[in-house]
Amino acid sequence: MGLRITTWNVNGIRNPFSYLPWSENRTYQSMFDKLGADIVIMQETKIQRKDLQDDMVLVPGWDVYFSLPKYKKGYSGVAIYTRSSRCSPIRAEEGITGILCPPNSSIPFRKLPADQQIGGYPADGQLDVRDEATLDSEGRCVILEFPAFVLIGVYCPAARDETRTEFRQAFLDALDIRVRNLAAMGKQVVLCGDLNIIRTGLDTAALQERLRKDSMTFDEFISMPPRRFLNQLVFNGQVIGERDEGRENPVMWDLCREFHPLRERMFTCWETRKNARPGNFGSRIDYVLCSASLKHWVIDANIQEGLLGSDHCPVYATIDDMVTFNGRRTYLADIMNPEGMFKDGKRLRDWSPKDLLPMSAKLIPDFDRRQSIRDMFAKKATAMPKSNLSALHTNAQSTPSLTESGPSASDPGPSLPSSSQPTTSISASPQRPLPAKRQSETSSSSSRPQKKSKATLNKENSTKTGSGPAQRSLMGFFKPKTPAPDLNISKDTKDARNTISPSPKTNTGWSTDTDKEAIFEDKGAKRLDPFEDDAIEDWPDDTLKPTSLPNDSGKVFDPIQSKESWSKLLGKRVVPKCEHGDECQSLVTKKPGVNCGRSFYVCPRPLGPSGDKEQGTEFRCKTFIWSSDWSGRQ
């Protein structure tokens, strides 16, 4: 079966639940089961500490470790979920430099006692950064140590603009130092995550076209600092010129590329704004890397491009159940859990909350010693033993029945005062007499005045108001009180109007409700709220002018004709169609320049493999229309 490690940039920890198959059962436990993973590394969780919810932390059968941004809201974030039945780490840290502190401690990770450290921290002079805490302030790294290896889950900065170039390079340098230092200590490393680096020309679409637009050669492309860092870190990396000092030897394997060395278009990220995923116009920037001695442990590595839920797809590597560790064949379960939990692949003891590490999110005060609400309702009620049921049946038969008239003559006991309340039967056990407080409340209830029931109130109200007019409905306040001329109104309608006594203040001169609506339509005004007194004062003088009756006017207002007139003037614009006959989609120009902010129409189909507009294919055609140049209406 093997142990599967999956890394996935989810672009928001709840984002996948908007897509199939995750939307069928919106739980993380179901998601991890469908992924078939035992360790899941998520990037771009985009939450803060206050946004953590029960379903994120209290996942049945799983433990979780978070690294969240300290200052920026809805930004970055890394989480590692581990299946407790398969693996349990022995140490956990947040950050790449070791400058951060464990929960409820003021001592940085790298200054803890040696037996509590993961190790490999940058030494003095290795990292040329003024403020190391800044590198770990954005929630970009979680590190777990198992007896078998050290797992680093990372989300590297992207090249957004020039202001982030220095930060990005400093973070990559710190990552390179930490990995190489761990390897020098003799520890095996698995590095997973979104590195935001295109490693080779095989890992991006339409490279030659991009180089031509940027006036760049391939050697310049492959020698860019982030790409040079990654190619010097992995085996078989393409490095132009001499290697950098301290990076003379590679230490990691790119597992997906090793299992698929010549596979083209093996992309893991696509641009959403261009809808480039259906045409597979993207790049490979998500990786699973491992140390040299771990390569033979891995039996499979691949991408899962068919799983939607983000602008990235999951990437995984599967480790065999039997591996060679310290020169002998060992069950993987023995070295993926604390000592004494497994032996020869068999479980000796179950995982318990005592195995939680201080970094575990389950130890956060909001979630400590709690369980998921789903678990509470999912537990089946335990069946009561038959002996208890028979005892209860015997007690029920021997229990006297207390009513408002008191105990029966054959069963002596304290008499209860009579009351006017409905008769109720109370089962009292002889071994447990009623508490004194409850008895006092029962005895005092007879002296309290009884409230009138609803039936009594209704009867009294009906006797008082029986001879008067019936209460008007809410609609009666908005209907005219003055009888209108006979316009073929039904007899029932006339009788209903005659039952309402007219008020002298309601003679407004309106002829019918239809005429009242006609004035609103004729003025093109929005129907005002009749409950707002100040609204009528703002009407024009001619709006309040009474209208003549329909029989006295030579022209009858037609609301249907008015609606058609306004529809012609304010009708919905007809969307132009592209060369495929599909309705175009409207976009807005965001590129700085004279056209910034202008909207335009283009073909709604996704970009093709070429990454450009095509003609005569099933992908996006060359249709382009400025919205200002299109005046079509329905």
Side-chain angles (χ1 to χ4, degrees):
M1 182 171 58
L3 183 139
R4 175 174 288 193
I5 302 174
T6 298
T7 176
W8 191 12
N9 184 321
V10 292
N11 194 24
I13 193 168
R14 293 195 182 278
N15 190 46
F17 293 133
S18 301
Y19 301 82
L20 287 172
W22 326 114
S23 59
E24 296 175 348
N25 188 350
R26 301 166 66 89
T27 64
Y28 293 97
Q29 183 181 18
S30 174
M31 176 193 294
F32 301 152
D33 290 342
K34 290 177 180 178
L35 285 172
D38 301 298
I39 300 176
V40 179
I41 303 102
M42 290 184 176
Q43 301 89 44
E44 281 200 274
T45 56
K46 293 185 176 181
I47 57 172
Q48 291 181 300
R49 164 66 182 80
K50 63 180 181 64
D51 300 322
L52 291 176
Q53 302 291 332
D54 286 5
D55 62 334
M56 301 177 189
V57 178
L58 304 178
V59 181
W62 290 77
D63 198 5
V64 59
Y65 305 85
F66 285 99
S67 178
L68 305 176
K70 302 296 185 294
Y71 310 110
K72 293 187 177 182
K73 182 179 180 181
Y75 179 79
S76 187
V78 173
I80 299 183
Y81 287 85
T82 59
R83 192 189 295 269
S84 301
S85 61
R86 299 297 307 277
C87 57
S88 180
I90 58 176
R91 298 181 185 89
E93 292 184 5
E94 177 186 8
I96 194 65
T97 64
I99 195 66
L100 300 180
C101 301
N104 304 320
S105 175
S106 58
I107 304 176
F109 287 108
R110 61 186 182 186
K111 292 185 179 181
L112 293 174
D115 60 338
Q116 300 179 23
Q117 294 181 2
I118 293 179
Y121 311 106
D124 295 338
Q126 274 191 308
L127 188 60
D128 186 16
V129 177
R130 295 180 180 178
D131 187 8
E132 295 181 353
T134 304
L135 293 180
D136 288 330
S137 66
E138 297 185 356
R140 294 187 174 273
C141 183
V142 174
I143 304 178
L144 304 182
E145 182 176 6
F146 303 88
F149 54 80
V150 176
L151 175 65
I152 302 178
V154 69
Y155 172 53
C156 293
R160 300 297 181 188
D161 50 56
E162 295 180 357
T163 60
R164 298 282 290 176
T165 301
E166 184 178 351
F167 178 87
R168 183 190 190 196
Q169 190 58 46
F171 188 90
L172 295 178
D173 290 342
L175 179 61
D176 181 79
I177 293 171
R178 188 73 185 267
V179 171
R180 292 181 181 275
N181 287 352
L182 287 170
M185 293 174 60
K187 293 189 175 183
Q188 312 302 323
V189 180
V190 175
L191 175 62
C192 305
D194 178 5
L195 302 186
N196 269 312
I197 301 173
I198 300 171
R199 194 190 132 201
T200 66
L202 200 60
D203 297 323
T204 186
L207 175 62
Q208 295 301 325
E209 182 65 19
R210 293 186 180 185
L211 295 179
R212 184 186 62 81
K213 290 182 178 180
D214 296 337
S215 300
M216 182 184 297
T217 65
F218 180 78
D219 288 352
E220 293 173 338
F221 166 80
I222 209 70
S223 298
M224 296 185 68
R227 199 163 291 111
R228 183 175 176 86
F229 142 76
L230 182 56
N231 279 301
Q232 290 183 105
L233 182 67
V234 301
F235 291 94
N236 297 332
Q238 188 173 0
V239 180
I240 305 297
E242 296 293 330
R243 287 178 169 266
D244 299 341
E245 183 180 356
R247 301 176 179 176
E248 292 83 3
N249 299 314
V251 294
M252 307 287 283
W253 285 100
D254 181 359
L255 291 177
C256 280
R257 187 51 72 191
E258 288 304 311
F259 277 86
H260 309 277
L262 302 178
R263 179 178 171 182
E264 298 181 353
R265 310 182 64 77
M266 189 172 62
F267 305 140
T268 64
C269 178
W270 302 266
E271 190 171 351
T272 305
R273 289 178 297 179
K274 293 183 178 180
N275 194 17
R277 187 166 186 170
N280 196 21
F281 185 81
S283 301
R284 187 173 77 99
I285 59 177
D286 302 88
Y287 300 87
V288 178
L289 311 179
C290 74
S291 297
S293 59
L294 296 182
K295 179 185 177 184
H296 301 292
W297 292 16
V298 181
I299 57 177
D300 186 24
N302 207 339
I303 66 174
Q304 295 176 286
E305 68 276 20
L307 292 178
L308 303 180
S310 172
D311 55 342
H312 294 245
C313 74
V315 181
Y316 71 88
T318 305
I319 303 177
D320 199 358
D321 286 329
M322 288 286 294
V323 297
T324 302
F325 184 71
N326 292 337
R328 65 185 183 89
R329 296 292 290 173
T330 306
Y331 285 94
L332 184 65
D334 295 355
I335 55 177
M336 287 299 295
N337 293 276
E339 186 177 359
M341 188 173 288
F342 279 86
K343 184 176 181 180
D344 296 333
K346 297 181 179 179
R347 181 177 288 276
L348 301 181
R349 67 176 180 88
D350 292 333
W351 182 93
S352 69
K354 295 181 180 179
D355 297 310
L356 291 174
L357 300 176
M359 267 286 295
S360 173
K362 290 188 174 181
L363 293 181
I364 296 175
D366 293 349
F367 308 100
D368 189 16
R369 302 182 185 276
R370 289 184 51 212
Q371 58 181 338
S372 173
I373 295 179
R374 293 179 181 271
D375 277 355
M376 296 171 62
F377 288 97
K379 289 184 178 180
K380 297 181 179 180
T382 56
M384 184 176 292
K386 294 183 178 179
S387 59
N388 293 349
L389 291 175
S390 61
L392 289 176
H393 182 67
T394 304
N395 292 339
Q397 290 180 348
S398 61
T399 300
S401 177
L402 303 180
T403 61
E404 65 170 313
S405 61
S408 62
S410 62
D411 189 8
S415 60
L416 295 178
S418 60
S419 65
S420 60
Q421 294 180 351
T423 302
T424 57
S425 196
I426 305 173
S427 296
S429 175
Q431 292 82 3
R432 291 187 180 182
L434 290 174
K437 183 177 180 181
R438 182 66 66 183
Q439 292 176 358
S440 62
E441 290 179 357
T442 307
S443 61
S444 62
S445 62
S446 59
S447 60
R448 295 179 182 174
Q450 298 298 321
K451 295 182 179 180
K452 295 181 180 180
S453 62
K454 292 184 178 180
T456 306
L457 293 176
N458 293 338
K459 184 176 181 181
E460 293 177 358
N461 293 338
S462 61
T463 58
K464 292 180 181 180
T465 60
S467 59
Q471 183 179 359
R472 292 178 293 176
S473 64
L474 185 61
M475 291 301 299
F477 290 95
F478 305 105
K479 291 184 178 181
K481 306 301 187 298
T482 304
D486 188 2
L487 298 177
N488 296 328
I489 302 177
S490 64
K491 183 177 181 300
D492 296 338
T493 306
K494 290 181 180 181
D495 294 341
R497 290 184 176 181
N498 292 334
T499 58
I500 303 175
S501 58
S503 174
K505 296 182 179 180
T506 58
N507 187 10
T508 58
W510 302 109
S511 57
T512 60
D513 291 344
T514 306
D515 295 330
K516 189 188 301 184
E517 295 177 359
I519 287 186
F520 285 98
E521 293 288 340
D522 188 36
K523 296 298 179 183
K526 182 180 178 181
R527 187 68 178 264
L528 298 178
D529 189 349
F531 293 98
E532 295 182 3
D533 296 334
D534 297 336
I536 301 179
E537 296 178 2
D538 298 333
W539 291 357
D541 295 337
D542 56 348
T543 305
L544 296 175
K545 183 179 180 181
T547 58
S548 59
L549 296 177
N551 292 342
D552 299 337
S553 174
K555 179 181 179 181
V556 178
F557 181 81
D558 188 357
I560 299 178
Q561 182 181 1
S562 176
K563 183 177 180 180
E564 293 177 351
S565 300
W566 283 107
S567 299
K568 292 179 181 179
L569 181 62
L570 303 176
K572 183 180 178 181
R573 299 185 68 180
V574 177
V575 179
K577 295 186 178 182
C578 65
E579 297 177 2
H580 302 101
D582 302 335
E583 290 187 353
C584 294
Q585 63 176 345
S586 178
L587 302 176
V588 179
T589 306
K590 296 184 178 180
K591 184 177 180 181
V594 294
N595 292 323
C596 183
R598 293 185 65 184
S599 60
F600 57 92
Y601 293 103
V602 293
C603 177
R605 299 196 178 191
L607 286 173
S610 64
D612 202 355
K613 300 174 183 178
E614 302 175 0
Q615 190 170 7
T617 66
E618 60 180 341
F619 296 103
R620 181 172 297 179
C621 63
K622 297 185 178 181
T623 301
F624 181 91
I625 304 173
W626 288 111
S627 296
S628 57
D629 297 338
W630 177 257
S631 59
R633 294 186 181 275
Q634 277 184 342

